[in-house]
Amino acid sequence: MEYFQQSILELIVDTSTNLPPDVRRALARAQLREEMGSRAALALDTIVDNVGTAESDQGPICQDTGMPTFEVHTPVGANQIVMEREIKAAVAEATRLGKLRTNSVDSLTGKNTGDNLGPGTPVIHFHQWERDDVEVKLILKGGGCENKNIQYSLPMEIEGLGKAGRDLDGVRKCILHAVYQAQGQGCSAGVVGVSIGGDRTSGYQHAKEQLFRSLEDENSIPELKELEEYVMDKANQLGIGTMGFGGRVTLLGCKIGVQNRLPASFFVSVAYNCWAFRRQGVHLNATTGKITSWLYKEGSATFANRGGISTDHAVVLKAPISEEQIRKLKVGDVVLIDGTMHTGRDALHKYLMEHESPVDMNGGVLYHCGPVMLEDESGWHVKAAGPTTSSREEPYQADIIEKFGIRAVIGKGGMGPKTLQGLQKQGAVYLNAIGGAAQYYARTVTGVDGVDFLDQFGIPEAMWHLQVKAFPAIVTMDAHGNSLHADIANDSMKKLEAFAAPVYQ
Ligand code: SF4
């Protein structure tokens, strides 16, 4: 297995940077369904632009390269100990090369291991099979969509849909609700892998395994094939759209599996994956470890490439931004940020609640982002820099805006009522950037002015001070109490309620 480690490295790099053709085709179909010039179409165009750049520059499609999860099939008797060691070495090397973000954090100390290795990281599942070759499949599923996974224990009452029983109709309600509750926070349009049955642990694992199916295959169980088609139709009528901006396409795929359960339990487990649906696979020669063929590579896709967010009527904001400038903005406006912005995620928000900021943020721009960064002799460079899910900062955000005089917060998925009130009171806006468009936004960074808390928090959580030029985003929460996210959540709940009547008797 001389080439095994190198082959795994190739698999990781390809998975992180090259979206599979079936996912591209699903995005291309979504593009065609959205009205030109709509928010959803602009978001999809940005996504498509980003997918192309990631492939040509071999950069991570999204800065959150997730929990590397390998499914490995080996011939009987193959040495899995050696394979595990080499997979881990390949993960560390891919991290060093900036193809994976440093994503493994000690849960007690908060310390980032820096190489994506540690207890439970990466995830590797070995299986034996009666074949002579080795198959390795990999999925990189980020935290934003992982946080939207959900498990239901039937029977139960589901908001908007009423009673869900221990039958296919109950399962139907769980899946529709799972799509609804994700809104734009898991970077819709998404894909759901669903497991009916199992226990709490095996249900989630089986749900994730469904994500290894092609988006274009057909379920071999007729009832589940029918249910998959039903969900695709109805979930796309919820009006959540790409990034939760509203629109005709909310779901790119639905894959349902079934396993036996205990008589006392009936779990429906849903693994929600964002549009950045990064999974690839290879077959390897079991003697040399060389790649003999790739999975998921059939066919190609043609995008309608219209170049990302239209900035023709955009408002340019440059820190320090005045209250007057902010109060002129309203939901739906496109803005372009020039000049300085500061990144900040969970660790920084908690810190700022109790301490002073190392830099003056008065009139400034705070970006919810955990970038991929590499350092060389000339300094730090941004390799991927899309937004992270903002709702995690809801407990802190309004206080931090007020304490430091921040005028613009950039993230994805929107924030809640406390932040909305804070924006109104202080004269600040929430700007939604396109989740996952990490290469697109990295291109707008013209320099790295410095970093604080790097040793303390690690690369993704550190406070990076970036210079940007024409960084585009859309106002989705303004200083007048308007929130596109609240509007879409209310509207999609009404649409969800229309699916409460039983379909399967
Ligand atoms: S596209 Fe969004 S949900 Fe997916 S990994 Fe990136 S930030 Fe997370």
Side-chain angles (χ1 to χ4, degrees), residues 410-445:
I410 310 173
K412 58 123 170 146
M415 303 194 72
K418 190 175 169 213
T419 301
L420 189 60
Q421 255 182 11
L423 298 176
Q424 204 169 357
K425 182 173 165 212
Q426 270 313 110
V429 281
Y430 176 82
L431 306 172
N432 207 117
I434 310 304
Q439 294 303 314
Y440 182 87
Y441 289 112
R443 275 201 319 248
T444 68
V445 180

Side-chain angles (χ1 to χ4, degrees), residues 152 154 156-164 170 173-174 177 496:
Y152 302 85
L154 299 180
M156 66 182 289
E157 199 70 33
I158 295 184
E159 61 168 338
L161 294 169
K163 195 170 295 305
K173 290 184 178 180
C174 295
H177 181 265
L496 183 72

Side-chain angles (χ1 to χ4, degrees), residues 170-365:
V171 174
R172 172 188 74 85
K173 290 184 178 180
C174 295
I175 305 173
L176 286 178
H177 181 265
V179 177
Y180 160 78
Q181 60 88 42
Q183 292 289 308
Q185 291 169 7
C187 291
S188 54
V191 176
V192 286
V194 182
S195 173
I196 306 170
D199 62 16
R200 285 210 184 268
T201 311
S202 66
Y204 266 135
Q205 186 173 327
H206 189 234
K208 206 173 248 187
E209 281 165 19
Q210 303 313 305
L211 297 174
F212 284 104
R213 286 173 52 194
S214 162
L215 289 181
E216 292 157 356
D217 72 2
E218 281 196 353
N219 203 311
S220 58
I221 302 171
E223 299 95 304
L224 298 187
K225 174 177 180 288
E226 193 187 324
L227 183 55
E228 288 176 358
E229 289 166 0
Y230 169 92
V231 170
M232 286 303 292
D233 179 31
K234 300 298 186 268
N236 281 317
Q237 295 176 29
L238 291 175
I240 296 166
T242 302
M243 294 314 300
F245 286 172
R248 296 174 185 150
V249 182
T250 297
L251 198 62
L252 300 174
C254 172
K255 300 290 155 187
I256 308 172
V258 62
Q259 52 185 346
N260 284 6
R261 60 182 174 84
L262 293 171
S265 309
F266 196 126
F267 296 112
V268 178
S269 311
V270 182
Y272 185 94
N273 206 107
C274 54
W275 69 260
F277 185 26
R278 292 154 291 174
R279 55 108 172 84
Q280 300 285 8
V282 286
H283 284 133
L284 307 170
N285 180 300
T287 308
T288 64
K290 272 192 175 169
I291 295 173
T292 55
S293 61
W294 285 81
L295 308 170
Y296 308 115
K297 294 288 190 194
E298 309 80 35
S300 57
T302 310
F303 291 126
N305 204 336
R306 298 180 290 235
I309 297 175
S310 163
T311 53
D312 294 352
H313 305 287
V315 179
V316 177
L317 295 178
K318 186 168 184 175
I321 306 165
S322 70
E323 181 175 351
E324 191 192 354
Q325 279 176 290
I326 291 295
R327 295 232 182 247
K328 281 186 189 151
L329 294 172
K330 55 186 188 322
V331 163
D333 287 346
V334 174
V335 303
L336 293 173
I337 310 284
D338 276 357
T340 307
M341 63 166 67
H342 313 281
T343 68
R345 297 170 41 114
D346 313 59
L348 184 78
H349 280 75
K350 185 166 180 294
Y351 178 91
L352 291 179
M353 289 295 283
E354 294 146 16
H355 304 87
E356 287 308 309
S357 168
V359 294
D360 181 7
M361 290 201 289
N362 199 25
V365 180

